[in-house]
Amino acid sequence: MAIRQIRMFDDEILRKKSRPVTAVNDDIRKLLDDMADTMYNTRNGAGLAAPQIGILKRLVVMDMGQGLLKLVNPVIVKQEGSQEVIEGCLSIPNIMGKLIRPAKVTVRALDENGKEMELTAAGELAKCFCHEIDHLDGILYIDKVIEFV
Ligand code: ZN
């Protein structure tokens, strides 16, 4: 377990596309643990994607108050509706912005044991899934922002 350094918005690694994980092994589980430690070490982090610690692998950790979620190769397989949300990002400190996200999403991913799972979420949780999965494609919320708040 270790706390990693969070990359900031001007780091070009945040703009790169992450590669799918081909085998969910101990190295991946250790990485997910380090990502969780790093997220919980922040004041208000609810999600962290691997590129934010400089690793271009499709890994996300999230905790929106429902417990820790570890996602390997997450993909949005279905989305519905739209909602206006306010977002911030651990890589872009001290600012927040308003943008439009889907109201409801279904995400397919592997868990830390390589088992397939499917999760459907609405509201804040749906927002968080979209934000973190965008990171895996080099997209930051500021690319989609309507106005900073
Ligand atoms: Zn972010």
Side-chain angles (χ1 to χ4, degrees), residues 52 89-90 131-132 135:
Q52 291 182 277
C89 180
L90 291 173
H131 179 113
E132 300 308 332
H135 271 302

Side-chain angles (χ1 to χ4, degrees), residues 41-141:
N41 187 52
T42 64
R43 204 154 33 88
N44 51 4
L48 187 77
Q52 291 182 277
I53 57 164
I55 292 168
L56 292 172
K57 291 185 192 297
R58 301 188 83 83
L59 297 171
V60 164
V61 295
M62 280 172 47
D63 189 343
M64 293 287 287
Q66 85 288 20
L68 179 61
L69 271 176
K70 295 172 176 171
L71 305 176
V72 177
N73 299 340
V75 179
I76 295 172
V77 292
K78 194 176 164 198
Q79 58 180 67
E80 276 175 57
S82 64
Q83 60 173 335
E84 193 177 279
V85 296
I86 305 285
E87 291 184 20
C89 180
L90 291 173
S91 296
I92 313 170
N94 305 321
I95 60 166
M96 302 196 95
K98 186 192 290 181
L99 61 155
I100 306 294
R101 293 287 193 189
K104 192 176 169 189
V105 295
T106 299
V107 174
R108 200 171 290 159
L110 301 178
D111 70 11
E112 64 182 324
N113 298 309
K115 189 167 171 280
E116 194 169 294
M117 60 173 158
E118 199 172 278
L119 301 158
T120 297
E124 289 291 297
L125 193 52
K127 167 187 103 171
C128 197
F129 277 126
C130 295
H131 179 113
E132 300 308 332
I133 292 171
D134 270 356
H135 271 302
L136 305 180
D137 291 317
I139 298 165
L140 301 177
Y141 86 87

